[in-house]
Amino acid sequence: MHSPPLPGCGRDARRAVVVAMALALGGAGARPAQAQPPGELKWLEKDKQVGQVAEVGPGILKLRLPMGGDTWNAMPAPNAKIEVTGKASREMLQQKQFISCAVTLDEFGKVTEPVLQVWFTGGGTPGVVAGGLGIPEPGARRFSGKRPAGTYTLSGMIKQVHGDVVTVVVGREKFNFTVPAEAELLVRSTNVGLASRGDVCEAEGQYYQPPQLLVSSLKITLANPVAPPAPKNNDRRTQ
């Protein structure tokens, strides 16, 4: 299937892509005004789009495409679509984590049933929206204050966790609900920093010459559950 071109890939945008790739991927010494396209701009072939993360770090994203193939230096385009999905460890249920989940509310705004699926999205807009799919849909109606009983999607920051009971505060409202041990804890984020070597990836993008790849779409499936970073304890002393 032919992939659609990047928006605005005319002559000026074509030159801008060259400059951006040169500056970001090692060509900072070249003068942008004199940058010329080094050949034809090509789409990454379909049979090379599925592979693995080879290396990830601050300012570094290397993908092995396809599986067992060559290593590409990947640079997400400004309008790139990035999705990182996987599972989360139980330890992620802690203060200051932003979550989304489907909840059943009574006429008083109290959660009446255990929550069996929680999404860690890395951020978002706090609120209570129509529909109980767990992830807010674009344009979904938001409800504040008194609302009819039913199923809604709740999004917000965790205020506290006491045993299996999680408290999320949205505006002036506080929602307490139980997340049992068998609940599914999932990750859906745009943060490629969650990835690690060996995670499966699917990439679309354009390049002039390997191994530099301008990524327009990237999906990463995490092999291991996401866990919170280890707490820093600088005051700890060895006995």
Side-chain angles (χ1 to χ4, degrees):
M1 182 181 295
H2 178 68
S3 300
L6 284 174
C9 275
R11 181 176 299 175
D12 293 339
R14 179 183 171 91
R15 181 180 294 270
V17 169
V18 177
V19 174
M21 293 181 73
L23 291 177
L25 300 174
R31 294 177 58 189
Q34 297 179 351
Q36 297 295 327
E40 181 184 357
L41 183 63
K42 300 180 284 290
W43 280 95
L44 183 66
E45 293 82 354
K46 190 73 174 178
D47 59 358
K48 294 182 179 180
Q49 292 180 358
V50 177
Q52 291 178 305
V53 175
E55 183 179 352
V56 62
I60 300 174
L61 178 58
K62 296 185 178 183
L63 307 176
R64 190 173 299 280
L65 301 169
M67 292 283 189
D70 297 328
T71 299
W72 294 76
N73 297 322
M75 182 183 72
N79 59 342
K81 296 180 179 179
I82 298 177
E83 184 177 83
V84 180
T85 59
K87 295 184 178 181
S89 67
R90 187 77 184 182
E91 290 74 22
M92 287 289 287
L93 285 173
Q94 60 176 242
Q95 288 182 330
K96 298 184 179 180
Q97 290 289 345
F98 193 96
I99 63 172
S100 291
C101 56
V103 293
T104 302
L105 303 178
D106 62 17
E107 62 271 25
F108 302 106
K110 304 299 182 182
V111 181
T112 60
E113 298 179 10
V115 171
L116 299 179
Q117 189 177 76
V118 177
W119 289 92
F120 293 85
T121 59
T125 303
V128 180
V129 303
L133 300 179
I135 294 289
E137 296 293 327
R141 180 184 175 188
R142 296 186 177 274
F143 290 86
S144 60
K146 188 173 179 61
R147 61 184 69 82
T151 303
Y152 298 86
T153 293
L154 170 67
S155 300
M157 200 80 74
I158 295 178
K159 181 68 175 178
Q160 67 180 24
V161 178
H162 189 268
D164 290 341
V165 179
V166 175
T167 301
V168 172
V169 175
V170 177
R172 297 182 179 180
E173 292 186 279
K174 182 170 66 174
F175 299 89
N176 297 313
F177 52 88
T178 299
V179 181
E182 65 271 19
E184 193 174 18
L185 307 181
L186 303 171
V187 172
R188 180 185 290 178
S189 175
T190 59
N191 180 13
V192 296
L194 296 176
S196 58
R197 184 175 182 177
D199 290 342
V200 175
C201 65
E202 182 177 353
E204 295 181 12
Q206 293 177 294
Y207 66 96
Y208 284 106
Q209 295 177 353
Q212 319 301 354
L213 178 66
L214 186 68
V215 175
S216 57
S217 175
L218 178 62
K219 296 180 180 180
I220 298 176
T221 302
L222 304 176
N224 300 310
V226 174
K232 296 180 180 179
N233 191 354
N234 297 327
D235 295 331
R236 185 174 181 179
R237 297 290 184 269
T238 302
Q239 300 296 325

